[in-house]
Amino acid sequence: MSSRLSNSIPPRFRMPPVWSWIVIVGAVGFFLSGLINANISIERILSGTVNIGTFLSRAFPPDISRLDSVIWAMLETFEIALVGTVFGVLLSLPIALLISNNTTPHPLISRVLRFIVSVMRTVPDLVWALLFVISVGLGSFAGILTIMVDTIAFCARFFSERIEEIDKGPMEAIKSTGSNRLGVYAASVLPIGFPSFVATSLFSVEKAIRSAVVLGLVGAGGIGIELSTSMSLMKYDEAFMIIIIIFVVVVAFEQLSAAIRKRLI
């Protein structure tokens, strides 16, 4: 029977090993468990649709009576994103040079820093925000620290991948002139990777703006606390006005970022 089955399989198709079947079965099991635990039903979908309709009917027209304070909160959110991203990018660059296989001074330094960056990346933003709120208190400083950590986790990885793609030729040429390690970085690695670094940094700012909106929900400053308060008090018209402002700012910066990337790449 087994020989008949193996004969029926095309020669270029090989049966996956046992561990692959275990992974596949486990993934399918988690998927089915997730569907069951979500308690999805037609009744809940219909009631959810009605609730969304109720929200929208109460949200129109948007309440602009607190427009000034909301705009200031949005500006604070943008400032948190920008300051956190700038510091994050500035710290990411030397970290990327230290962890890249072709620029690190020692493999052990690369491994240790890679592990630290990996840990920073695996911890969610909200967890970092809660930790910084506990350590430095409520407000924008906690948000800036959170965005900075998130940016380092994001940029250090992508900067490193770009650095490792750089051709060895220019680096060897600079070394042959007697230049030290810093000279090689300044004369070959940074100029070659500059467009990619800028593009990644702009993506980081876009990401940081969206993250900074959420950070306010846990007291890390910005417009999130305004949105949370409006939703808690069921002031849906005010909440809708805040959502519109967030949407406008995020889309506007995405367009600006795309235009800058087009010029660079």
Side-chain angles (χ1 to χ4, degrees), residues 45-215:
I45 292 173
L46 292 176
S47 64
T49 305
V50 172
N51 291 335
I52 287 291
T54 304
F55 169 78
L56 292 175
S57 65
R58 294 179 59 181
F60 280 105
D63 180 11
I64 59 172
S65 60
R66 295 186 60 249
L67 185 61
D68 291 348
S69 61
V70 171
I71 287 178
W72 280 113
M74 190 66 229
L75 288 175
E76 184 188 23
T77 302
F78 185 75
E79 290 169 354
I80 290 171
L82 189 62
V83 174
T85 305
V86 168
F87 280 114
V89 167
L90 291 176
L91 292 172
S92 296
L93 199 51
I95 292 173
L97 290 168
L98 291 173
I99 67 177
S100 299
N101 292 327
N102 54 343
T103 56
T104 185
H106 195 279
L108 182 61
I109 297 175
S110 174
R111 289 195 196 99
V112 172
L113 286 177
R114 277 182 188 276
F115 175 75
I116 294 172
V117 170
S118 177
V119 171
M120 293 167 73
R121 192 167 48 250
T122 52
V123 177
D125 292 354
L126 283 181
V127 176
W128 284 116
L130 288 170
L131 291 174
F132 288 128
V133 165
I134 292 171
S135 58
V136 302
L138 296 169
S140 58
F141 186 35
I144 289 172
L145 291 175
T146 304
I147 295 298
M148 190 175 71
V149 170
D150 185 55
T151 302
I152 291 173
F154 178 77
C155 284
R157 174 187 174 187
F158 286 97
F159 287 179
S160 171
E161 289 179 357
R162 177 65 187 101
I163 290 170
E164 289 178 347
E165 291 172 353
I166 292 175
D167 186 22
K168 291 181 179 177
M171 297 172 63
E172 296 296 333
I174 300 296
K175 280 182 187 175
S176 65
T177 64
S179 177
N180 58 17
R181 190 179 294 275
L182 289 177
V184 173
Y185 293 163
S188 63
V189 177
L190 298 183
I192 294 172
F194 182 74
S196 176
F197 298 157
V198 173
T200 304
S201 302
L202 290 171
F203 274 125
S204 297
V205 179
E206 293 178 23
K207 184 171 173 288
I209 293 173
R210 286 190 288 269
S211 297
V213 170
V214 180
L215 298 182

Side-chain angles (χ1 to χ4, degrees), residues 9 42 45 124 257 261:
I9 297 175
I42 299 297
I45 292 173
S257 173
R261 282 198 299 272

